[in-house]
Amino acid sequence: MRNSIFTIIIATMALTGCRDEKSASLSTDEISFTKEATGYLIKKATRDTIQTLEVEIADTDYDIQTGLMYRTSMNNDQAMLFVFKEEQELSFYMKNTQIALDIIYLKADGTIVSFVENAKPMDETLLPSAGPAQYALEIKAGLAEKWGLDVGDVFVWE
């Protein structure tokens, strides 16, 4: 009995002795971009390449739910492609996303269905597609306008 009490006292002292009186703040490492594909935005009318992009792919439940959350920067030639199993009405929001984005919704064949320009960081307002889409492509805010993207233009990747 005496050994059990002694063990409990020592364990309690060890645990409380390890605790810093000040609250330690946790920091996370910057999430780095991982190029998994090369993508091409193509003008429907001319078949000319508008822009070549390095693409990170979100195709697991975790990656789709996390997306670009918690990232603090993104280059103009980078994009995240969200891959869903089938065409459906899609809707995104910007919770915990610190970068302003353009969200481009794509049909199964890569044709642009619709896009949302200048999605505000940290905003939880739903940003729906204008029709069924199987993919969503996120790029830095303002680039859809700069590149002159239109509904009907195409995105392909390899």
Side-chain angles (χ1 to χ4, degrees):
M1 175 76 167
R2 197 182 317 178
N3 284 341
S4 296
I5 293 173
F6 180 72
T7 303
I8 292 170
I9 291 171
I10 295 297
T12 302
M13 288 174 53
L15 289 174
T16 57
C18 292
R19 211 182 304 154
D20 186 357
E21 292 302 316
K22 297 177 188 172
S23 297
S25 65
L26 296 175
S27 64
T28 58
D29 293 335
E30 174 73 18
I31 302 169
S32 61
F33 180 83
T34 304
K35 179 183 175 184
E36 297 175 283
T38 300
Y40 307 93
L41 285 162
I42 300 168
K43 199 69 171 162
K44 179 183 179 182
T46 62
R47 302 272 186 220
D48 291 333
T49 298
I50 300 167
Q51 183 67 34
T52 302
L53 297 167
E54 294 183 350
V55 180
E56 183 170 347
I57 297 174
D59 58 358
T60 66
D61 288 342
Y62 176 79
D63 289 343
I64 288 170
Q65 291 172 17
T66 306
L68 292 170
M69 288 181 176
Y70 310 109
R71 301 191 193 199
T72 57
S73 65
M74 184 177 185
N75 296 334
N76 287 354
D77 67 342
Q78 294 176 329
M80 178 167 277
L81 179 68
F82 294 82
V83 179
F84 297 89
K85 290 180 174 66
E86 58 190 36
E87 284 189 356
Q88 59 190 303
E89 299 288 330
L90 297 178
S91 192
F92 279 55
Y93 61 84
M94 299 289 289
K95 180 180 179 179
N96 297 320
T97 304
Q98 300 173 32
I99 308 163
L101 299 171
D102 290 343
I103 304 169
I104 304 165
Y105 295 107
L106 309 162
K107 292 181 181 182
D109 66 2
T111 302
I112 296 176
V113 174
S114 64
F115 44 91
V116 175
E117 295 181 89
N118 299 305
K120 297 177 200 165
M122 311 302 276
D123 189 352
E124 294 187 38
T125 303
L126 291 178
L127 306 168
S129 60
Q134 187 166 353
Y135 307 100
L137 184 71
E138 292 183 339
I139 57 176
K140 279 180 72 172
L143 294 178
E145 180 179 1
K146 179 180 178 180
W147 296 336
L149 295 181
D150 293 309
V151 170
D153 289 342
V154 178
F155 178 74
V156 297
W157 66 96
E158 53 188 21

